[in-house]
Amino acid sequence: SEEIDAAREEQIAEMIQDYVGVYSQEEDKIIATGLKNLDSLDDSENTTVKAKKVKGATPAFKNAVAFKKGDTIGWGKSEADIPATKEQVLAYMLAVDARCRWSDSDMERGELERLNDHHSITYACKRGSHGGALSLAPREGVNRLLWKKLEHGELLYVSEPTTHKLKPEDNRRRFS
């Protein structure tokens, strides 16, 4: 129910507020890469990365994405004024299986493994969509979600594709 999801997100937000985590070398490297990628979106003199503004579902969001030439995976950011604390926004992002996060295109979504309070592996499987200007094939993805409170209290959220033994790659799921 909405009440259960809201209580869980509030519990996550409270954990984030006072969190002091110990990060492994691998986690620190992922965070550093995420921060570098984020900074590159605002660097107009960068010749290897060209950020593009992307129209969002609502004008309240300002979106930008970037790819390095030849890479198939990019990165981006969305900015908006939201009537919530940064901890509440991150809690919403981390509660990947909350009912309020599901859409009509979701076939399956959830957390596969929680490595610690700042690092988890998630899974999502989506139906194809053919409405509007965008046509998307059915797809699935396993992602690593990692967050960190930075030096001045900012919260950095990094997501990247990964693999997991609970969801081995299976092309039949992508196109069913």
Side-chain angles (χ1 to χ4, degrees):
S1 77
E2 287 182 29
E3 293 84 20
I4 293 170
D5 287 345
R8 183 165 160 249
E9 287 179 27
E10 187 58 36
Q11 183 180 23
I12 295 170
E14 288 173 7
M15 177 273 299
I16 292 167
Q17 196 162 22
D18 301 321
Y19 191 71
V20 180
V22 176
Y23 290 74
S24 70
Q25 283 185 323
E26 177 190 11
E27 290 171 335
D28 279 335
K29 183 178 175 186
I30 293 166
I31 291 291
T33 299
L35 195 52
K36 180 181 167 193
N37 288 343
L38 182 63
D39 288 343
S40 75
L41 292 168
D42 296 323
D43 184 358
S44 59
E45 296 179 19
N46 191 329
T47 57
T48 58
V49 174
K50 291 293 179 201
K52 293 196 310 190
K53 304 268 186 243
V54 178
K55 197 174 198 175
T58 170
F61 282 85
K62 289 187 260 176
N63 303 302
V65 296
F67 291 86
K68 285 184 184 170
K69 190 172 184 156
D71 282 357
T72 58
I73 297 173
W75 59 92
K77 71 176 180 178
S78 293
E79 296 176 293
D81 289 325
I82 297 173
T85 67
K86 61 189 173 195
E87 292 84 6
Q88 289 169 326
V89 172
L90 181 57
Y92 173 83
M93 298 294 294
L94 295 174
V96 296
D97 54 352
R99 287 166 279 268
C100 64
R101 297 284 309 270
W102 280 73
S103 69
D104 291 340
S105 65
D106 284 321
M107 295 172 68
E108 185 181 350
R109 69 167 34 239
E111 187 174 74
L112 297 176
E113 182 177 359
R114 174 170 292 282
L115 300 160
N116 52 52
D117 284 339
H118 61 259
H119 190 173
S120 64
I121 308 296
T122 65
Y123 174 76
C125 183
K126 301 252 186 198
R127 290 180 181 81
S129 63
H130 305 290
L134 194 58
S135 179
L136 296 171
R139 61 217 180 274
E140 68 175 346
V142 175
N143 284 294
R144 171 185 318 279
L145 304 182
L146 188 59
W147 69 272
K148 187 171 188 176
K149 190 179 294 186
L150 302 178
E151 187 177 331
H152 299 289
E154 309 96 328
L155 298 173
L156 179 67
Y157 172 90
V158 178
S159 174
E160 66 178 15
T162 190
T163 58
H164 196 277
K165 63 185 176 205
L166 293 177
K167 289 293 179 186
E169 288 190 37
D170 182 352
N171 287 335
R172 292 174 298 173
R173 278 199 304 266
R174 292 184 186 170
F175 303 106
S176 56

